[in-house]
Amino acid sequence: MKRKFGKIDFEVTTLGLGGQASLQWTPEGVDPVAIILKAFNMGINYFDTSNLYGPSQLNFGKAFRQLNLIPGVPEYNFSLRQSVFITTKTHIRWGNNNFPAGSDTVRNWTNGDHGMGAVGDLKRSLSQMFGDGKGNYPKGAYVDMILAHNLNFMDEVDVLFKGLETPLDPEGDFGAFVALRDYRDGTNLTGLNPDHERLVKHIGFSGHYSAPVMMEMIQRDSFDILDAMLVAINVNDRRMFNMQYNAIPLAREKGMGIIAMKVFADGAMYDKEAKWSNNPADVVSRVGTPAIPSRPLVEYSLTTPGVHTAIIGIGHIDDDPMKCQMVQNFYAAQIEPDGLPESIRRSYEELGLKAKDGKANYFQIGANELSAPNDVEFIHNDTLVELSWRIAYAGDEPVSHYEIVKNGKGVYKINHMPIVTKDKSKYRDRQAKPGDEYQVVAVDRIGRRAASDTWTV
């Protein structure tokens, strides 16, 4: 089963192969290359990896050689290469190495060399998957997408857009996006792409932690940069500062490809502790449990409105299909976007309580209530009052609408819409009198309310 991948001209299989689990932390007796080859043989066409995933990219490179996916060799299978979508990631926020003073407050990690900023990670990916692993890659090599990886904080957003929102100084410092855009478009505005190479087709970002930061990222992209978002989404999402009512609707409205991750809470739904994985002992090899079957967890993520595919790391493949994680996840993923009624999705959420008392999503901000509308502004001029605001953050139910309350009485209602820019909703009252009081109130689907401060004429 495939779904149109947002505005990207590609139909993506509902199950994608994640680049962690045994591809990164390979347990004894497991062949990571065999996992990749099995995914290809089953028809999976979305593949995920990262510059922070240890040997993951090198394992893909070994598989790609067996599959004749290396450009320039006589057996190069160009049609197979076009039929799959390969995504890598960078955790470097800067576009070059001219980091300004104080930049150490922004996370800027790589397993490679910081020398060319995010571009260095892009070329490292190409070298490890298609080249010699030492920095060289063949002509014609490319990745379909690179993501700004694991976005958590607002100052990271500021850095990523530097040189787009601010004047670009090739001799100074600038963010990753303007540099990666050069390698997407074949331009050389940053001076980092003198050969006008096109090494990546699409740019996006990923996030596990903060829905507000991810929403900010989307709303600030007025530069045609972002084509996709990789987001944590599983049955425990509504117990947290959730993605399904906050970040995902904005990405959907923008037409982005949306990839689900952490379907099993990084294994915390099963054997692993609720912490970041970091060694082979953290890799889960079982296929669900009687108490928490794997299939409902996969179905939940893939029926979250807006999601196109779910990447799942594989710990174990087996000739017995009942014991093979990839086979079981593959068949669970054969579901339509609207394949579950809301009542069944709610019943699946109850399964999440059976794992770590519902606290498996260690990577996500904790539960929040419906917020008041954000950034409310009040302007008064004689009898004219103008109120403007940005969208509220949803709690465990979606935002329904906003009300303007004047002197304690609702006088205007506007339905909530995912706004993908920094624009605000507005209300004008041309009959204001001294002493009139105004509030903007967010209302969720079940009628709960969250009001702004009171503004008085």
Side-chain angles (χ1 to χ4, degrees):
M1 186 173 287
K2 296 179 181 179
R3 299 179 184 178
K4 177 70 168 58
F5 197 29
K7 62 187 175 182
I8 296 173
D9 186 20
F10 192 82
E11 288 194 343
V12 64
T13 50
T14 49
L15 178 65
L17 178 61
Q20 294 195 290
S22 287
L23 302 192
Q24 178 177 5
W25 304 289
T26 309
E28 186 176 352
V30 174
D31 180 1
V33 175
I35 293 174
I36 298 167
L37 296 176
K38 187 174 184 70
F40 269 82
N41 290 335
M42 293 185 66
I44 291 169
N45 71 2
Y46 187 91
F47 298 90
D48 164 271
T49 186
S50 172
N51 279 280
L52 286 182
Y53 292 175
S56 179
Q57 293 185 145
L58 293 170
N59 287 324
F60 273 107
K62 294 174 184 176
F64 291 169
R65 279 160 179 77
Q66 294 190 39
L67 293 163
N68 295 322
L69 292 180
I70 308 303
V73 302
E75 302 83 8
Y76 178 44
N77 192 335
F78 179 64
S79 62
L80 179 61
R81 176 64 188 90
Q82 287 188 308
S83 73
V84 297
F85 199 101
I86 300 169
T87 295
T88 189
K89 313 186 194 77
T90 178
H91 210 300
I92 298 181
R93 308 314 189 199
W94 294 96
N96 61 5
N97 208 26
N98 297 331
F99 309 147
S103 65
D104 56 351
T105 63
V106 174
R107 300 176 309 151
N108 208 54
W109 306 333
T110 178
N111 283 344
D113 184 351
H114 281 87
M116 289 183 66
V119 169
D121 264 3
L122 173 59
K123 293 185 174 183
R124 181 174 185 265
S125 295
L126 292 171
S127 177
Q128 291 196 332
M129 288 190 281
F130 301 102
D132 61 4
K134 300 178 181 178
N136 301 301
Y137 50 88
K139 185 177 180 180
Y142 67 93
V143 291
D144 294 276
M145 185 157 63
I146 188 167
L147 306 178
H149 188 31
N150 191 17
L151 185 74
N152 284 359
F153 306 111
M154 291 295 185
D155 56 358
E156 296 177 287
V157 182
D158 295 338
V159 169
L160 287 166
F161 281 108
K162 193 167 188 180
L164 293 167
E165 295 178 333
T166 60
L168 174 61
D169 177 10
E171 301 301 320
D173 57 83
F174 46 84
F177 283 160
V178 69
L180 292 171
R181 185 180 66 176
D182 269 351
Y183 280 86
R184 182 193 70 181
D185 298 348
T187 54
N188 189 32
L189 302 177
T190 61
L192 295 179
N193 191 17
D195 295 329
H196 296 272
E197 293 180 277
R198 291 176 180 262
L199 302 181
V200 62
K201 291 186 175 182
H202 303 280
I203 299 168
F205 72 98
S206 74
H208 320 72
Y209 175 68
S210 173
V213 170
M214 298 172 75
M215 296 166 73
E216 178 79 4
M217 176 76 102
I218 294 168
Q219 291 175 324
R220 282 170 63 169
D221 177 32
S222 59
F223 311 97
D224 192 30
I225 294 292
L226 300 175
D227 284 341
M229 176 180 75
L230 172 62
V231 59
I233 174 71
N234 63 40
V235 295
N236 278 329
D237 180 62
R238 287 180 64 245
R239 297 188 175 92
M240 313 301 288
F241 198 142
N242 68 73
M243 301 295 182
Q244 62 186 289
Y245 299 144
N246 288 293
I248 291 177
L250 262 67
R252 185 184 188 188
E253 182 71 17
K254 193 176 173 67
M256 297 170 69
I258 302 174
I259 311 106
M261 63 174 164
K262 300 294 182 274
V263 173
F264 302 131
D266 191 28
M269 289 289 184
Y270 299 114
D271 303 322
K272 193 179 77 68
E273 293 181 41
K275 66 176 183 62
W276 291 109
S277 299
N278 58 28
N279 65 75
D282 291 327
V283 174
V284 176
S285 297
R286 69 168 68 198
V287 179
T289 65
I292 309 177
S294 61
R295 187 183 191 100
L297 307 189
V298 177
E299 291 182 339
Y300 185 93
S301 293
L302 285 170
T303 56
T304 300
V307 169
H308 300 110
T309 185
I311 56 167
I312 300 178
I314 299 298
H316 174 71
I317 57 175
D318 200 285
D319 292 336
D320 181 347
M322 300 305 294
K323 297 178 181 178
C324 181
Q325 289 180 332
M326 190 177 300
V327 169
Q328 292 302 309
N329 293 337
F330 181 87
Y331 284 105
Q334 307 310 303
I335 189 168
E336 297 286 353
D338 58 353
L340 291 179
E342 188 73 7
S343 60
I344 298 298
R345 285 177 54 82
R346 290 290 181 264
S347 72
Y348 285 0
E349 291 172 355
E350 295 304 305
L351 290 174
L353 287 171
K354 298 180 181 180
K356 315 294 190 293
D357 295 321
K359 299 176 182 178
N361 286 18
Y362 63 90
F363 41 78
Q364 196 169 352
I365 292 178
N368 71 296
E369 297 180 350
L370 171 71
S371 81
N374 287 289
D375 298 336
V376 178
E377 186 176 6
F378 176 84
I379 298 175
H380 167 232
N381 183 12
D382 195 21
T383 61
L384 173 65
V385 161
E386 181 177 285
L387 287 162
S388 60
W389 66 94
R390 295 181 65 196
I391 57 178
Y393 298 133
D396 61 2
E397 294 286 347
V399 181
S400 169
H401 61 276
Y402 302 94
E403 289 184 7
I404 302 299
V405 175
K406 179 180 179 180
N407 298 327
K409 181 179 179 180
V411 296
Y412 185 75
K413 173 182 172 181
I414 181 172
N415 288 334
H416 170 80
M417 294 291 292
I419 298 176
V420 299
T421 68
K422 298 286 283 186
D423 295 339
K424 292 183 171 184
S425 300
K426 293 183 179 181
Y427 167 80
R428 292 185 179 91
D429 182 3
R430 300 183 184 278
Q431 299 179 343
K433 299 176 182 178
D436 282 346
E437 295 182 339
Y438 296 83
Q439 286 181 307
V440 186
V441 181
V443 184
D444 73 11
R445 182 168 62 181
I446 61 174
R448 292 176 298 193
R449 302 166 66 86
S452 70
D453 293 337
T454 300
W455 304 84
T456 304
V457 175

